[in-house]
Amino acid sequence: MTDRPTLRLKQGPTATRVLGVGSTQPDRVVTNDDLSEIMDTSDQWIRDRVGIIERRFAEKDELLVDMAVTAGSRALADAGVDPSEVDTVILPNCTMPSPIPNAAAQVADRIGISSPGAFDLNAACAGFCYGLGVASDLIRAGSSGQVLVIGAEKLTDAVDPTDRANAIIFADGAGAALVGASEEPGIGPVVWGSAGDLVDSIYMREHKYIYQEGQSVFRWATTRIAPIAIRALEAAGLEPSDVDVLIPHQANLRIVEAIAKKLRAKGAREDMVVADDIKYSGNTSSASIPMALDHMRAAGTAKKGDVVLMVGFGAGLSYAGQAIICP
Ligand code: UT7
């Protein structure tokens, strides 16, 4: 009998953390009044039902990859890390104009990252939390050193501008996080899942425009997502009272508030800061969580060392959440 060779495996560091964060939004501000000039809606309806005051729309020649390059570069600058030190780029998104080519490879090249592993990840509005979980586990397994995760969306390409149910919600932007090894754990285990039986509640009609059954997604999000957030805390060995900052996907301010209320009923503190970035950013799908984190760090409402609980949810239906330590 010949000896069979055994495969050698790598072992990475035990812990990871977010080293830096960055984001970008288009310059063009679109108010509710602007929208009410082109469709049957009103500032009052949008504020009351969704919580959005204004959002940003990209110009025609401002692409998803352009926003991803800016957000990714800013996350590297925030971490003080040179592009040459990154070996993997994950780009959660669901609005690339076509599936080929992916966004990640060209974005990495434009940032100056040389021949990284690069792939897009589609878990819609849960994409960033999925990407962060994959990044952390790649590093811990020894497969990657430093991983750049960039959630980027140009949702205005995917929305019928005359569809008042969707055109008032969705917007454009990108947010990124650089992930690397850490002595102390800075990213908790990801808790994720899906409900493929509800696939028809959000989809693209004829590969063109997003359609969603708003009310049923709303009910699902307000009942099923807080328990996922609590499971993410448990997975990290934390209690609801440990959470300093809660960042749910910015789909609708009423959903955000419902999730916060459920967490407080389970012991989260009254002074827990709750992200309300949707007010000025709209719903930017996979970009919404890292963009909110970046804005909250800049505003001082999320501080270095804070326990931040993030939870994403959306088409698939898909969901994912984890606790992190704010960089
Ligand atoms: O990010 C991915 C995950 N997505 C979500 O989590 C979205 C979850 N769903 C929602 O956030 C909400 O369902 C929407 C914001 C999409 C819609 O709000 P809603 O309170 O559920 O409104 P609705 O669809 O039940 O419509 C209520 C009424 C209807 O009129 P009638 O039939 O009662 O006369 C709609 O035609 O509001 C009307 N309506 C509007 N009125 C003014 C719908 N859109 C608008 C609008 N302006 N933009």
Side-chain angles (χ1 to χ4, degrees):
M1 247 181 54
T2 54
D3 281 345
R4 303 293 301 155
T6 50
L7 301 184
R8 188 172 57 215
L9 294 177
K10 284 186 178 175
Q11 181 65 58
T14 327
T16 59
R17 66 187 174 96
V18 173
L19 304 172
V21 179
S23 71
T24 188
Q25 288 177 283
D27 289 336
R28 185 176 156 212
V29 175
V30 178
T31 65
N32 295 337
D33 286 336
D34 292 336
L35 293 177
S36 66
E37 282 173 19
I38 51 174
M39 67 188 73
D40 182 16
T41 189
S42 68
D43 179 50
Q44 200 62 49
W45 192 94
I46 299 172
R47 284 182 193 235
D48 290 350
R49 307 299 293 176
V50 201
I52 298 174
I53 295 168
E54 61 186 38
R55 76 285 288 142
R56 304 291 186 99
F57 284 1
E59 300 297 341
K60 224 180 172 66
D61 60 355
E62 190 174 15
L63 306 180
L64 183 156
V65 293
D66 300 327
M67 293 185 279
V69 168
T70 304
S73 302
R74 287 179 179 168
L76 290 179
D78 184 49
V81 167
D82 191 81
S84 62
E85 296 172 55
V86 176
D87 57 34
T88 306
V89 176
I90 304 175
L91 213 150
N93 79 88
C94 57
T95 50
M96 269 297 275
S98 74
I100 299 173
N102 72 12
Q106 54 188 306
V107 167
D109 181 63
R110 280 176 53 189
I111 293 175
I113 302 169
S114 171
S115 53
F119 58 97
D120 291 15
L121 184 161
N122 184 348
C125 308
F128 180 77
C129 293
Y130 268 81
L132 198 62
V134 173
S136 179
D137 289 351
L138 280 173
I139 295 167
R140 284 164 25 83
S143 305
S144 296
Q146 302 200 61
V147 183
L148 186 57
V149 184
I150 313 172
E153 303 285 3
K154 189 172 179 187
L155 281 145
T156 48
D157 276 350
V159 168
D160 176 351
T162 64
D163 169 8
R164 67 177 182 167
N166 288 307
I168 57 133
I169 302 172
F170 291 115
D172 305 327
L178 180 70
V179 183
S182 173
E183 289 189 357
E184 294 289 323
I187 300 178
V190 65
V191 168
W192 61 22
S194 58
D197 54 322
L198 302 177
V199 62
D200 291 336
S201 16
I202 310 178
Y203 63 93
M204 259 186 194
R205 276 190 170 137
E206 289 156 13
H207 303 282
K208 199 161 180 223
Y209 291 138
I210 293 174
Y211 164 81
Q212 63 174 331
E213 282 175 17
Q215 282 193 12
S216 58
V217 179
F218 186 95
R219 269 194 305 277
W220 173 79
T222 49
T223 52
R224 308 305 287 270
I225 298 307
I228 305 303
I230 288 167
R231 276 177 49 205
L233 284 178
E234 287 167 358
L238 298 172
E239 300 288 337
S241 58
D242 293 321
V243 179
D244 300 303
V245 178
L246 172 67
I247 311 184
H249 163 50
Q250 302 288 290
N252 183 323
L253 194 58
R254 290 190 295 139
I255 297 175
V256 168
E257 286 166 353
I259 294 171
K261 191 174 170 191
K262 285 201 153 75
L263 281 170
R264 288 193 171 113
K266 295 283 182 194
R269 303 191 315 264
E270 280 307 314
D271 69 352
M272 174 179 72
V273 176
V274 181
D276 61 359
D277 204 56
I278 187 168
K279 285 183 180 173
Y280 295 96
S281 301
N283 177 342
T284 56
S285 190
S286 65
S288 88
I289 291 175
M291 194 191 288
L293 176 61
D294 192 39
H295 291 165
M296 293 172 85
R297 281 176 81 224
T301 47
K303 295 179 287 296
K304 190 175 167 68
D306 278 354
V307 171
V308 180
L309 176 60
M310 310 186 300
V311 63
F313 52 89
L317 298 177
S318 310
Y319 49 86
Q322 65 265 91
I324 67 161
I325 302 299
C326 187

